[in-house]
Amino acid sequence: SSVSPDGTSATFNFPTSSSGGPLASGLYGFNLINESSPGVSNDIGAGILSIGANSTALTTPYGIDAYDVGTGAESCVISSASGTSCTASNVGTTPSYLVTLSTPGQICRGPNACVSVGIQPTAVKAYDSTTTETNYSNQCNVNYVDYEYTCYISYSYYTAPQSAIVANYGGNSVSIVNLSAMTVAATIPVGVEPVSVLVSPDGSKAYVANYGSDTISEINLSTNSVIATLAVGTAPDALSPDPSGNYFWVAGLNYISKVSYSTFSIVSTTPVNGQVTALAISGAQNEWVYATVSTDLTTFSSQDAVITTGSPTIHSEAQMSTAGTYYMLGGGGGSTPPPYLKASIVVSSNYNNGIEVTSTPTGFAVLDLVAHKQLIAGTTPTPVRGIATDPAQGVAYLTAPESNSLITVPLPAVQSAQ
């Protein structure tokens, strides 16, 4: 519908269905064709367009974690004459999610199975993935004359997390949830205003960032008890695992620190500017990927920087004023986190860790960590607080609690260069 005078950018009408209405949720291919001279067309780009579905059935969905449910079946024939042979079938994965509901104080597995936890639940993390057998059958036939036997065994199975840990911001506690029964197995007091959670690579411990008491709580997940508390910088509210499996990162007001799992101590601290509201690590790019709000609360930035013990070179891909956005509405306090506090960042496991999705005061943005530029900006009715993708990268989930929105976005598979 319009082209810039220098020809470097253009605006297109958004595609519609054959009936003229909006596109249904799904994946759509598109091509960009440039006619460099009359009668000559060059295909200069191809890609995938994802259209998401928005559900408003849940009240104030806030924190979210995604996981895959693996399913399959196997049948075996065991014979004294020919040995054992097995055949697997129907092996696949289905994406699912856990989401906290801020106002009613609940956690839900998918859209229907919910249980009450604590006051103002924010972050949630699933763990303890287990394979469970179902529909097991065993039948044997015995030939007593020849002393031969043949047994037929079949079963189906599914693999899914069995537990979750939930940070209750307004209750100064975390809840341990049995996901099979959807019941609360334990409630554990931690520091003031817990806002972020992390589970160790071996699943034995959890770590909770306590925004109001400037500490991290270390929890033994076997005994469901706090075993240590570590003082960190002011207002810690973002945790991210290090790809090495030996450390994790914590970020807060003007800092990002590296913490050892084995010693539960700070290894190094790097100063940054502003309150970090989200943090992720791009292992392939060796970069911190984080969002900040300036100390005067006027400016939001999504940034990345090469991990270093010195002063990092910081790239800002998305920057905007917070004036007039929901970030400046409401006062926080009590059982409600400050409106500017919670943001989310996801770095793709595909695409060489080179693509980032970040929440912004007006919606979300997709950023290129290699070229250091913004690719896409999306607007939502209220700010996105939670972003999660399932391990198979089949779908992304976004939450916007102030508009009761849970947005499901299908993700494309890795595409070859065009």
Side-chain angles (χ1 to χ4, degrees), residues 155-196:
Y155 62 93
S156 56
Y157 62 87
Y158 68 91
T159 302
Q162 302 300 300
S163 303
I165 181 170
V166 183
N168 301 312
Y169 181 91
N172 301 333
S173 67
V174 297
S175 298
I176 305 297
V177 177
N178 180 322
L179 295 178
S180 297
M182 286 306 290
T183 56
V184 175
T187 299
I188 308 168
V190 289
V192 178
E193 298 174 335
V195 72
S196 185

Side-chain angles (χ1 to χ4, degrees), residues 77 88 103 121 149 155 177 183 264 270 294 326 373 384 399 418:
V77 178
T103 300
Y149 65 88
Y155 62 93
V177 177
T183 56
F264 194 42
T270 301
S294 59
Y326 195 91
K373 64 181 182 180
V384 171
T399 62
Q418 301 293 318

Side-chain angles (χ1 to χ4, degrees), residues 9 12 16-17 26 47 54 111 147 159 165 173 179 183 191 198 210 217 227 277 305 318 326 364 379 403 416:
S9 64
F12 298 88
T16 59
S17 67
N54 181 24
Y147 297 101
T159 302
I165 181 170
S173 67
L179 295 178
T183 56
L198 174 74
N210 302 306
S217 300
I227 56 176
T277 57
Y326 195 91
F364 65 94
T379 300
S403 55
S416 59

